[in-house]
Amino acid sequence: MKKSRLFIWIIVTAIVTAGITYSIVKPKEVSIAGNGDPFQKLRSTYDILQKGYYKDIDTDKLVEGAIKGMVESLEDPYSVYMDVEQAKSFSENISSSFEGIGAEIQESNGTILIVSPIKGSPAEEVGLKPKDVILKVDKESIEGLSVNEAVMKIRGEKGTKVNLVVKREGVGELNFTITRDTIPLETVYSEVIEDNIGKIQITKFSETTGEELAKSLTDLQEKKVEGLIIDLRQNPGGLMDQALAMSELFVAKGENILQVEYNNGSKEVYKSENEAAIDLPITVLIDGGTASAGEIMAAALHQSAGIPLVGEKTFGKGTVQSAESFKDTSSVKYTTAKWLTPDGTWIHEKGIEPQIKAELPAYANLPFINPEIVLKKGDSKTEVNAAQQMLKALGYEEVSVEGYFDDSTEKAVKDFQKQHKLTVDGKITGETTMKIMELIQSKLQENDTQLEKAISVLKEKM
């Protein structure tokens, strides 16, 4: 019978090695018989701590720590143990409104990053972008935290504020102060735009998204639209069954929507059973914030219905998760399979390339400027550079864009303040900051180059 040795170190003396203090003496040997049960070591460790640890032990916390460690050892950012509070938060995110900043996040290579901000959310309004890496929450580093631990720090009651420090590729560190709000359940928004074209934006895939989409399609058909744009930009995904049902509305009967590959190599192929797919010219908008279920739908509509994709490469999340709940409502969310596009491609960490590439104007990627800070002549910082680029985009051509608040910047700010009837002091803060960002957002909505390209492509098919 094999035996494993556990050593109980008895505190007697202290030594210092490489600046670390240890308390050690010759170890006492304790033998634990093994019987082929892989959990014998775990149970024995539990017994040792219960009997010998110098403080009272919270048994529930000990067990939850063991479960959490077990799941984390998978080294899969999409597999996590969620305690009661975290499981409740996860459930709210896919089934009802919740209070927070409104951004999907994930762990990637030991960091927490933004997958996508939700449409109309505080996260979108302040300018958080897909793949922004979150470094700090309220001045505390989140290095080493799980996704759920990070979520619990970021979420909070409506009206309260949270400060995030993020790192953006090509820009550096950015500081965002965000006021939390209620993130609504509604996930589908539709309207009729130019030349009788219908536009449907899908912001995520929750329990009601399929019903919302069907209603929007009925409304647009009653208005006799002649073409359709489906906007999946900034859609972080959600429920796979919703993506399947929604894709089926556009894919002819018998065509592949999705393939799922399990760890034994077997595959399950999902085919459309829809007798009457939507028969309209369609284009689909995608970008770097289109992820998971959003990518499932984009791939299905392109590969199985011949619908062109317009925009930028998607996020690249090609795995399927399931959640199992315990009696106390805590749960384990874990990866069960890969999902493949209709033609069998695995897009994980690669994304989906659009057939027609289109980028937004450069000012769409400028960071949020905190209205509470004061930018003035002589300052040299990231926020100054962002403000200069915004002023330039708004037509103040004389301003320099070098990150230094010089005479030309002060003059441009004063001209801006005069034009918009603000206090003329040449400083960027408060109402001046908010007005600049408001006008940039309006300009972007009026100059959505990706949408314009999608309309152009659609008209060629109409």
Side-chain angles (χ1 to χ4, degrees):
M1 184 176 292
K2 293 183 179 180
K3 296 184 178 181
S4 60
R5 300 184 183 278
L6 298 177
F7 299 99
I8 300 178
W9 302 88
I10 304 172
I11 299 175
V12 172
T13 187
I15 63 173
V16 177
T17 305
I20 303 174
T21 301
Y22 296 90
S23 298
I24 61 172
V25 291
K26 182 179 178 180
K28 175 182 177 182
E29 295 184 357
V30 178
S31 297
I32 300 172
N35 57 5
D37 181 357
F39 292 98
Q40 180 64 49
K41 188 175 180 180
L42 181 63
R43 281 192 288 267
S44 295
T45 302
Y46 173 82
D47 290 340
I48 287 170
L49 293 174
Q50 285 283 18
K51 294 174 183 176
Y53 191 64
Y54 81 110
K55 289 183 179 180
D56 290 338
I57 289 177
D58 184 331
T59 300
D60 290 340
K61 190 174 181 180
L62 203 66
V63 171
E64 292 210 346
I67 298 170
K68 180 180 177 182
M70 189 184 302
V71 178
E72 286 181 350
S73 71
L74 297 172
E75 297 182 348
D76 173 12
Y78 302 106
S79 295
V80 294
Y81 168 71
M82 296 178 281
D83 62 27
V84 174
E85 188 175 359
Q86 292 167 343
K88 179 176 180 289
S89 175
F90 172 74
S91 178
E92 288 175 345
N93 193 37
I94 61 173
S95 63
S96 65
S97 62
F98 61 93
E99 294 182 352
I101 68 169
E104 183 83 7
I105 66 173
Q106 74 161 59
E107 187 273 335
S108 177
N109 298 321
T111 61
I112 302 295
L113 56 80
I114 302 289
V115 175
S116 181
I118 295 171
K119 176 181 171 63
S121 68
E124 182 189 53
E125 289 174 0
V126 302
L128 285 173
K129 302 292 181 184
K131 300 194 176 179
D132 280 349
V133 176
I134 303 175
L135 303 177
K136 296 180 181 179
V137 178
D138 288 334
K139 299 182 180 181
E140 291 186 11
S141 170
I142 62 168
E143 184 179 359
L145 295 189
S146 69
V147 169
N148 287 308
E149 288 170 335
V151 166
M152 298 313 294
K153 284 185 174 293
I154 296 169
R155 278 196 181 181
E157 293 182 2
K158 176 180 177 179
T160 60
K161 293 184 178 182
V162 61
N163 179 267
L164 302 186
V165 175
V166 308
K167 183 177 181 180
R168 180 172 297 169
E169 186 176 356
V171 177
E173 291 189 12
L174 300 170
N175 194 300
F176 296 88
T177 298
I178 311 169
T179 302
R180 300 177 177 103
D181 203 347
T182 299
I183 311 304
L185 172 63
E186 187 176 5
T187 58
V188 177
Y189 302 82
S190 64
E191 60 180 318
V192 178
I193 54 179
E194 63 180 77
D195 296 326
N196 212 28
I197 291 172
K199 176 177 174 286
I200 295 178
Q201 182 172 14
I202 304 167
T203 60
K204 66 176 180 176
F205 293 78
S206 68
E207 291 177 347
T208 62
T209 306
E211 294 176 6
E212 291 180 58
L213 175 61
K215 182 180 183 302
S216 291
L217 286 169
T218 299
D219 290 345
L220 290 175
Q221 286 176 318
E222 288 176 352
K223 294 174 181 175
K224 301 188 184 303
V225 296
E226 297 174 7
L228 186 63
I229 293 172
I230 299 174
D231 190 350
L232 294 174
R233 292 177 296 176
Q234 305 292 296
N235 185 318
L239 299 175
M240 189 180 81
D241 63 342
Q242 293 293 306
L244 286 168
M246 293 160 65
S247 299
E248 196 170 34
L249 296 172
F250 305 93
V251 176
K253 184 175 182 179
E255 297 292 332
N256 287 0
I257 293 178
L258 174 73
Q259 298 186 47
V260 176
E261 182 178 328
Y262 299 98
N263 61 4
N264 61 4
S266 65
K267 292 182 182 177
E268 186 174 4
V269 180
Y270 293 84
K271 295 180 178 290
S272 175
E273 298 180 1
N274 186 13
E275 296 283 358
I278 298 295
D279 185 21
L280 280 173
I282 300 171
T283 58
V284 174
L285 277 166
I286 57 173
D287 67 4
T290 307
S292 190
E295 291 172 298
I296 289 175
M297 187 171 182
L301 269 58
H302 171 58
Q303 293 185 3
S304 294
I307 296 171
L309 305 178
V310 178
E312 300 171 87
K313 185 174 74 171
T314 63
F315 186 84
K317 194 262 189 181
T319 55
V320 181
Q321 285 72 43
S322 294
E324 302 285 344
S325 296
F326 298 104
K327 288 183 178 180
D328 65 353
T329 71
S330 62
S331 66
V332 173
K333 178 167 71 75
Y334 60 104
T335 299
T336 56
K338 301 175 181 178
W339 70 260
L340 314 176
T341 64
D343 69 2
T345 301
W346 194 36
I347 59 92
H348 195 62
E349 297 183 348
K350 299 174 185 176
I352 301 169
E353 292 282 358
Q355 287 66 62
I356 301 96
K357 292 187 178 181
E359 296 182 351
L360 292 172
Y363 56 80
N365 296 314
L366 293 175
F368 172 81
I369 303 172
N370 186 349
E372 296 178 4
I373 68 172
V374 179
L375 304 177
K376 61 185 184 305
K377 187 175 177 180
D379 287 345
S380 180
K381 55 183 71 175
T382 302
E383 290 87 351
V384 172
N385 181 265
Q388 289 171 331
Q389 292 187 65
M390 290 181 191
L391 288 166
K392 196 93 170 178
L394 293 172
Y396 296 87
E397 295 293 339
E398 73 277 12
V399 69
S400 64
V401 185
E402 298 177 355
Y404 176 72
F405 204 122
D406 59 6
D407 289 335
S408 70
T409 304
E410 185 179 53
K411 181 180 182 304
V413 173
K414 286 182 176 179
D415 289 345
F416 177 86
Q417 290 170 330
K418 287 177 185 176
Q419 182 180 352
H420 297 284
K421 299 179 180 179
L422 302 168
T423 301
V424 181
D425 58 8
K427 298 176 182 178
I428 302 175
T429 188
E431 291 184 348
T432 298
T433 303
M434 291 188 287
K435 191 63 178 181
I436 290 173
M437 291 190 294
E438 174 193 327
L439 293 176
I440 280 290
Q441 189 63 31
S442 297
K443 185 178 178 67
L444 182 59
Q445 290 174 352
E446 294 168 0
N447 191 28
D448 187 340
T449 48
Q450 291 176 334
L451 177 59
E452 289 170 3
K453 188 64 177 178
I455 292 171
S456 173
V457 171
L458 185 62
K459 285 182 177 180
E460 293 176 3
K461 302 170 63 178
M462 290 171 62

